Every structure is written in structure tokens, then in C-alpha cells.
Amino acid sequence: MKKKTWLLPLVVVTIHVHAQKKEDRKTIGNLQTHISYLSSDKLEGRSTGAPGEQLAATYLSAQMQKMGLTPMGEDGFLQAFTVKETREPSADCQMTIGGSKLEAGKQFVPLPFSAGKSAKGEAIPGVNEPDNIWLINVAELDTDSRKSMTEQYLQQTQTAEKSGATGVVFYNGRETAAEVMKWLAERPKAVGIPAVWLNADVSKKLSADDADGFPIHMQVAFKAIKRNGTNVIGYINNKAPRTIVIGAHYDYRGWETTDKTEDNASGTAAMLEIARLLKGSRLHNNNYIIIAFSGKEQGLSGSSYFASHSTVDLSQVNYMINMDGIGTLNPGTALQIGGTGTSPGWSAIIQEAASKELPLVYDSSGISNSDHASFYKKNIPVLYFCKNTSASADKVNYDGTLHVLKLVYNIIDKTNNRDKLAFSSIQ
């Protein structure tokens, strides 16, 4: 009997260690599954508003539903928001010079103040007459550094219109077609005649030494473009007086990128796994909002929208945790924790929750180019876990991601029996 009593603590410890290792293996397996899908070619980079983003949102919704989270978007788990409203040339926007048809958006771009009209004429470089299309060589203009180029193009067009021009064509500008296309998001007051910009290749034809008259026919027409993003939001309702927000962005940079990358698939996967663990835990003194943000790469538009259109009472939010790019944490490399100055309680909590396996460096600021900043601006304490590099899915450090995931979970555990954290503003 004495012998059995002596061995019992060892047996209990062995069972606990075995169970912990089994849970860790399950967590890493889930991380691999999530990251593999979110960084797959099928999702084409997860650009905000693109089809790949919608596939990712569907996947995240399904995972939240599978683990029993309550939908907390405005359409089930989904919360749609407008990222960008602009215009682009429509199918009716056409232009020919000397019988050659030009491609809208690349060889020519209608300017944002252009009238949606057509014009036809025989234009001659250097000869601008009433009742004809004017050709304006931008390289010969006296530009004003105090004004934007759109303002200067507008001023030239207004002068041409007053002088009887039926349309204006600008050539030899220094801008690229992509830059001019961005101008179409601007909404200046329209003039009464069509005005277009030509790219460098077409400009060379108008600048040639043997350039003569050019038969020109142009028709300007726009179509409205609205770019929408989607946040994916789940909720664990413990009927507690406080709520913790756990978030990560799942979109990737750019509008049309097709790069295969893990950024930020690791943070999103870790968010899902933390939600799964919390759903089965006894940490019931807080509710939990789980948010996969889109639009991070477009000025934090998804988190900003949620902060202004929250589906929970933000005054009851205890704090917000954000994970971004944690999957590329190399062995021995320190994890950066931002926002440590946003509550006087963070220092002691992090020290209690930290482990020797994960070295840490701290940044007190609550403002950076990631989604926690939207919550800091609402006077909510934040923590930001990041490693500011990107990697393809096969370079993800899953053990490192697991360590970060455990640290976040431990912090939530250490705050379970504490009062609501006080907020501190960092100047």
C-alpha cells in the first residue's frame, strides 16, 4: 500500500503530460489544416472583396459553426462593409486615333472630371482651334508644384472648354495608367466636354517629328464600382458582464494579388484554435467575440467598421487581443507584444502567463498598422502579438505558433477572475 501511495503522484503527472501532448498534437494538426487551406492557390491571395476572400469567409464561418459558436455578424457569421467606392471605364468607353482602337484603362484613361460624352475631330499637335479636339502636351506645360496634377489637368480642360474645344486629350504625362485609374475615386465637379489621358506609347505617336493630323473619335462612359469586404464573427456567450475580443485579419495585401502566402493565415488559424479551446474551457467569467477581419490591408477598414458598428456593447469589452503574422516566429526569436501600455494591469498579467520557451519583447503603444488600433481608439485595452515577416505555408513554424497560442490562452486564463481592466492612453 505504501508503495502504491508513493507512485500515485507520478502516475497522475504522467497522465497529465500525456494528455497535454495529445492536445498539443491535435492543435498543431488543426493549425496545419487551417493554414494549408487559407494559403492555398484556390483562394488567390484572399484580397478584400475578391472571390478568394469569399471562399475564406465561407471556410471560417463553417469552422465557427462546427465548434458551436453563435453567429454574431449581421448576416449569420458575416458582416459586410464597403471598403472602396470608385469608377472605372465602362464597356461603352472607347477611343480611336488614326483608326487604331485604344484599350481603356491602359492606353487611355478618362479623367475624373470628364463629361460622359463623345467627341470627333481631326486634331493636330500644337494647333488647338475652336470646334475641335485639343491635344495638350503635358511636357510643355508650366506645372505648379502647389497643385495636384488632377487640379492642373482640370484647369487646362476648363480653359480649353471656354475656348470652344469639343474635347481634350492629354499626352506625355509622367503618370502611369494605374495612377490615373486611382484618380477616378475622386469626385470633382464635371466639365462639359470629354477629357482623357494617354499613356507613354500612344504619346510617342503624337510626339513624332512627322506627326500630322490625327482623326480622333472618343466616347467617355463610366461605371460605378463598389468594393465590399466581409468580417467573420462568432460569439461564445457565457452570460458574463464582460467580453473579450480575439481577432486576426484573414485578407492579404493588394486588390488583385494572387501570391501564395501564409500572411496572416497563422494568426487566423490560431484565433480559431483559441476559440475551440475556450468553447470547451471553464473560463466563463468573460464572453468571447471571435473576429476574422478583412480589409486590414485597406486602412484597417474591417476592424474600423466593426468598432463603429459593433454587434456587442463595446462599453462592456474587457480588452482586445490581435494576432498578426505569428507563424514565421523562428526558434529562439522573440515575439513582439504591442499595446502593453494600454492598461496598467498588463505587465503583471503577462509575467504570470509567460513561459521560458517563448522570449518576449514589448512595445507599449496601442497604435500601429493592424486591427487592434481600431479598438484602442475606442479606449479599449489591447495586446498585439506579431512577427513582422511573411512566409509561404511550408515555412510556418508550427511549434512557435503553438507557443504564441498558449501564451494568449494563458493571458485569458489569468484575467478570468480579475475585474475589468483599466484603460491607459499612450501618447
Side-chain angles (χ1 to χ4, degrees):
M1 187 62 133
K2 184 177 180 181
K3 188 175 182 180
K4 289 183 180 179
T5 303
W6 182 263
L7 290 175
L8 186 57
L10 178 60
V11 172
V12 173
V13 170
T14 301
I15 291 172
H16 174 76
V17 170
H18 177 74
Q20 186 60 56
K21 287 183 177 179
K22 183 178 179 181
E23 181 60 41
D24 287 351
R25 288 195 297 270
K26 179 178 180 180
T27 299
I28 287 179
N30 289 343
L31 289 172
Q32 290 171 332
T33 298
H34 299 323
I35 292 173
S36 177
Y37 180 79
L38 292 171
S39 60
S40 66
D41 292 337
K42 183 179 181 180
L43 270 62
E44 298 180 332
R46 291 171 277 126
S47 298
T48 300
E53 181 228 36
Q54 294 302 301
L55 289 175
T58 299
Y59 176 84
L60 295 169
S61 298
Q63 294 301 313
M64 290 184 183
Q65 184 174 27
K66 182 179 178 181
M67 65 181 70
L69 271 59
T70 301
M72 210 62 176
E74 292 159 353
D75 179 15
F77 289 99
L78 307 180
Q79 181 187 56
F81 58 93
T82 299
V83 181
K84 183 179 182 181
E85 293 187 77
T86 185
R87 296 174 296 166
E88 65 181 35
S90 71
D92 294 329
C93 190
Q94 302 176 11
M95 184 173 187
T96 59
I97 296 182
S100 298
K101 187 175 182 179
L102 305 184
E103 184 177 358
K106 293 186 177 180
Q107 292 178 299
F108 81 98
V109 180
L111 290 165
F113 48 78
S114 174
K117 294 182 178 179
S118 61
K120 183 185 293 186
E122 181 91 11
I124 302 174
V127 180
N128 292 324
E129 300 174 329
D131 299 320
N132 200 5
I133 294 173
W134 284 27
L135 300 178
I136 298 180
N137 188 346
V138 180
E140 295 179 352
L141 296 178
D142 293 327
T143 56
D144 186 346
S145 60
R146 296 169 296 179
K147 295 182 179 179
S148 68
M149 285 309 299
T150 51
E151 291 174 320
Q152 294 180 74
Y153 283 141
L154 172 59
Q155 186 175 11
Q156 292 290 327
T157 303
Q158 290 171 332
T159 299
E161 182 181 11
K162 290 179 181 178
S163 299
T166 58
V168 178
V169 175
F170 292 94
Y171 66 103
N172 283 335
R174 296 181 179 179
E175 308 81 14
T176 65
E179 290 171 332
V180 180
M181 284 290 289
K182 291 180 180 179
W183 294 351
L184 296 182
E186 301 175 14
R187 294 287 182 172
K189 184 177 180 180
V191 296
I193 58 176
V196 302
W197 172 97
L198 298 181
N199 75 354
D201 289 339
V202 181
S203 295
K204 288 178 182 178
K205 297 179 181 179
L206 301 185
S207 302
D209 292 337
D210 59 350
D212 197 1
F214 292 91
I216 296 178
H217 179 211
M218 59 182 182
Q219 179 174 319
V220 171
F222 298 102
K223 66 176 179 179
I225 299 294
K226 181 178 285 189
R227 178 81 68 165
N228 292 324
T230 304
N231 294 327
V232 186
I233 311 169
Y235 185 54
I236 300 174
N237 186 5
N238 292 321
K239 299 180 180 179
R242 304 181 299 272
T243 298
I244 295 170
V245 178
I246 304 164
H249 79 91
Y250 73 97
D251 63 309
Y252 185 47
R253 67 171 180 259
W255 290 113
E256 305 297 345
T257 182
T258 56
D259 291 349
K260 181 180 179 182
T261 177
E262 86 83 19
D263 180 51
N264 176 41
S266 60
T268 307
M271 177 201 70
L272 288 175
E273 281 303 284
I274 291 169
R276 180 182 67 82
L277 294 171
L278 289 172
K279 182 63 178 174
S281 76
R282 296 181 179 179
L283 303 179
H284 293 163
N285 290 338
N286 288 282
N287 309 309
Y288 303 101
I289 280 282
I290 313 298
I291 311 181
F293 298 109
S294 189
K296 182 262 183 180
E297 306 295 353
Q298 282 73 45
L300 313 183
S301 54
S303 57
S304 295
Y305 184 86
F306 177 84
S308 298
H309 303 81
S310 177
T311 54
V312 296
D313 183 358
L314 287 187
S315 69
Q316 300 303 312
V317 170
N318 194 351
Y319 56 86
M320 189 272 179
I321 285 180
N322 180 29
M323 293 173 287
D324 194 348
I326 60 174
T328 57
L329 191 68
N330 294 324
T333 303
L335 172 74
Q336 179 175 314
I337 304 181
T340 56
T342 62
S343 174
W346 278 140
S347 179
I349 292 168
I350 294 170
Q351 286 181 17
E352 287 182 45
S355 66
K356 295 179 181 179
E357 290 87 356
L358 186 60
L360 304 173
V361 294
Y362 303 101
D363 178 8
S364 63
S365 176
I367 292 292
S368 77
N369 187 32
S370 197
D371 294 302
H372 60 285
S374 300
F375 293 83
Y376 172 76
K377 292 176 180 178
K378 297 292 184 179
N379 296 335
I380 294 172
V382 297
L383 285 180
Y384 174 42
F385 299 82
C386 68
K387 178 67 174 67
N388 293 319
T389 58
S390 62
S392 59
D394 59 350
K395 293 182 180 179
V396 173
N397 178 1
Y398 288 98
D399 286 333
T401 305
L402 178 64
H403 286 314
V404 178
L405 185 158
K406 284 184 172 182
L407 174 59
V408 172
Y409 186 89
N410 287 343
I411 288 172
I412 296 170
D413 185 5
K414 299 303 180 185
T415 60
N416 186 59
N417 294 318
R418 292 176 180 252
D419 293 333
K420 189 173 184 287
L421 268 64
F423 173 77
S424 293
S425 178
I426 302 297
Q427 301 299 327

